[in-house]
Amino acid sequence: MNLTKKISLVLAAVAAAATSYAQSTPAATASTGLLGQRYADVSFGVLDPHGTSDCGFGTGLGVNLPIATNLDASFNYGYSRLNNGGLKLRDHSVNAALIGYSTYGSVKPFFGLGLGYEWSKAKFGAFTTKDDSATWALGAGVEVPAGQFTLTPSVSYVDGFENNTTGAYTYGVEASTWLSQKVAGYVDVSYVDVVGRGGQSWVYTIGARLRF
């Protein structure tokens, strides 16, 4: 897989981190968790790739909807960009996921399965290339209450359906808290590891959720 496609995968992971499977929203109950709740999500992420002083940036929009007992559906859009020397990369992604979860006391382990579509454009000097692909993703984690906060460690894997694509693992921890009955804030730190040589990055995300 070429460098442009690897960077594109990492940028897609920014959006994934910005609207991760570790969904958490407030209920009008004592629980501080967000699984099983209906909310909208907006986020901003910074990508810090290894081996370069340049950083990428990403934004995300998402919606989480409970559709059955212990089953949520999420729909997300992400936009990311990276300028690395003479390379300018722009990436868009849309995805939908099903998140199943269980409750053990106050702890909620979950598992997610997602499908998506990604399109990107890379420019290096006068040379421009475009790429697009359908993607699939698997994710798992656990939602753990900690006072007024909810901590959500998670791991996910995203890849394309084509044989020549390279997947990426994302390991992350999110901390969220409700600022009011309807508005929550959160921060997330994730490590993205593209399979093969190179492509490792840290992703730092902040965001807000609105219950509706």
Side-chain angles (χ1 to χ4, degrees), residues 12-152:
V14 174
T19 51
S20 69
Y21 295 130
Q23 307 291 352
S24 325
T25 60
T29 67
S31 173
T32 59
L34 297 137
L35 288 165
Q37 302 298 320
R38 184 176 63 179
Y39 61 89
D41 184 297
V42 60
S43 61
F44 174 79
V46 176
L47 170 71
D48 183 14
H50 288 184
T52 176
S53 59
D54 297 316
C55 290
F57 303 92
T59 59
L61 297 172
V63 174
N64 189 80
L65 301 171
I67 57 175
T69 302
N70 294 337
L71 182 64
D72 288 1
S74 69
F75 305 91
N76 305 299
Y77 165 78
Y79 169 76
S80 304
R81 58 181 292 166
L82 174 66
N83 295 335
N84 186 2
L87 174 66
K88 295 182 179 180
L89 180 64
R90 307 294 182 262
D91 185 90
H92 302 260
S93 63
V94 292
N95 65 79
L98 292 176
I99 305 104
Y101 61 94
S102 298
T103 301
Y104 297 92
S106 58
V107 175
K108 294 182 178 179
F110 61 87
F111 176 82
L113 170 64
L115 296 174
Y117 182 74
E118 175 193 352
W119 63 102
S120 60
K121 179 180 179 180
K123 184 176 182 180
F124 190 84
F127 178 74
T128 299
T129 182
K130 297 181 180 180
D131 195 11
D132 65 281
S133 63
T135 60
W136 61 271
L138 296 174
V142 60
E143 190 178 82
V144 182
Q148 296 299 313
F149 294 87
T150 298
L151 302 179
T152 311

